[in-house]
Amino acid sequence: MSLFIYNRCMKKHVYGRSKDLLSLSLYRLLLIKNYDDIGVNDICKMANVSRMSFYRFYSSKDDILVDFCDEKFELLVDEISSNQNINFKDFLYILFQHFSKYSRQLLVLKKAHRLEILSEQLNSYGLYIATHFKNFKIPRTEEGKYLISFISGGIFNVLVSWLDADLKTPIESVTNKILQLFNQLNFD
């Protein structure tokens, strides 16, 4: 391996590590402080990373939370991409199962009063998912975008209620209830 390639690999490793440390530090700080009381300096100090490194990756501490949500949604998309014939019930089950793995982090996001980030990401990724999987027959029109926003908002609110109830309701019951409610609606 050439010295040039080695240096590039090391730089990428160090950058990735710094970014991970910043994210972990914000998460740890959120366990002990209010979001509004946490500054960039606090995050950098806990991560042992310079402010310059912080601003290399993020323009604000909200960007760390957006990055976290992006990572989790990308994992979700990867998970459902393995089955292009997925139906809505299976999608809901996979979605709730996926987010149950990150319930602690989602509760911290809620405590920070930043759940709107999750809502926005659910809407964005919902649009992507609905237009890339053949069993989701949502038109690529303005009306289709409204329908996706409607569905994403409903899923988001159910997810938040489920988190508030400490995930006590089994995922199968949650998905069946959502489907039951959707079936009661008349979209014609």
Side-chain angles (χ1 to χ4, degrees):
M1 174 186 302
S2 75
L3 185 59
F4 174 74
I5 292 173
Y6 176 78
N7 285 340
R8 274 186 44 200
C9 290
M10 288 305 292
K11 188 180 249 188
K12 187 175 181 181
H13 174 73
V14 169
Y15 283 167
R17 186 169 181 272
S18 295
K19 194 173 181 183
D20 290 344
L21 287 170
L22 290 166
S23 181
L24 182 60
S25 294
L26 176 58
Y27 176 73
R28 289 178 58 205
L29 285 165
L30 284 168
L31 294 174
I32 58 174
K33 293 175 89 172
N34 289 326
Y35 183 78
D36 293 332
D37 296 334
I38 299 169
V40 171
N41 285 335
D42 299 322
I43 299 167
C44 292
K45 184 177 180 181
M46 181 168 274
N48 198 25
V49 171
S50 71
R51 284 177 56 90
M52 187 168 68
S53 290
F54 178 92
Y55 288 110
R56 180 179 298 128
F57 303 115
Y58 305 111
S59 59
S60 70
K61 60 187 180 182
D62 269 1
D63 288 348
I64 296 173
L65 301 175
V66 170
D67 198 40
F68 166 79
C69 288
D70 272 342
E71 288 174 10
K72 301 315 169 220
F73 275 105
E74 287 169 12
L75 290 171
L76 175 65
V77 169
D78 289 346
E79 197 172 333
I80 62 174
S81 292
S82 63
N83 183 357
Q84 284 287 316
N85 295 318
I86 192 169
N87 62 32
F88 190 58
K89 181 180 181 177
D90 292 338
F91 165 73
L92 288 172
Y93 187 87
I94 291 168
L95 182 135
F96 279 87
Q97 186 178 47
H98 178 77
F99 281 108
S100 71
K101 296 178 219 172
Y102 307 105
S103 59
R104 283 183 48 182
Q105 292 90 338
L106 293 175
L107 288 170
V108 168
L109 200 63
K110 182 179 182 206
K111 180 185 170 226
H113 304 288
R114 293 298 186 267
L115 278 176
E116 75 278 357
I117 294 170
L118 179 65
S119 176
E120 290 167 8
Q121 298 299 82
L122 186 58
N123 200 42
S124 296
Y125 281 90
L127 179 62
Y128 172 81
I129 290 166
T131 57
H132 285 80
F133 293 89
K134 54 185 164 186
N135 281 350
F136 295 174
K137 301 197 179 356
I138 296 178
R140 294 181 183 198
T141 62
E142 192 67 26
E143 290 81 16
K145 287 180 184 177
Y146 284 122
L147 180 58
I148 292 165
S149 293
F150 174 76
I151 293 169
S152 296
I155 291 171
F156 168 76
N157 284 306
V158 171
L159 180 61
V160 171
S161 296
W162 188 54
L163 283 168
D164 287 343
D166 296 325
L167 312 154
K168 288 180 183 166
T169 307
I171 295 170
E172 186 75 26
S173 297
V174 173
T175 57
N176 285 336
K177 189 63 173 172
I178 292 171
L179 286 174
Q180 189 178 49
L181 292 170
F182 272 108
N183 288 332
Q184 291 175 3
L185 296 174
N186 184 0
F187 288 114
D188 294 332

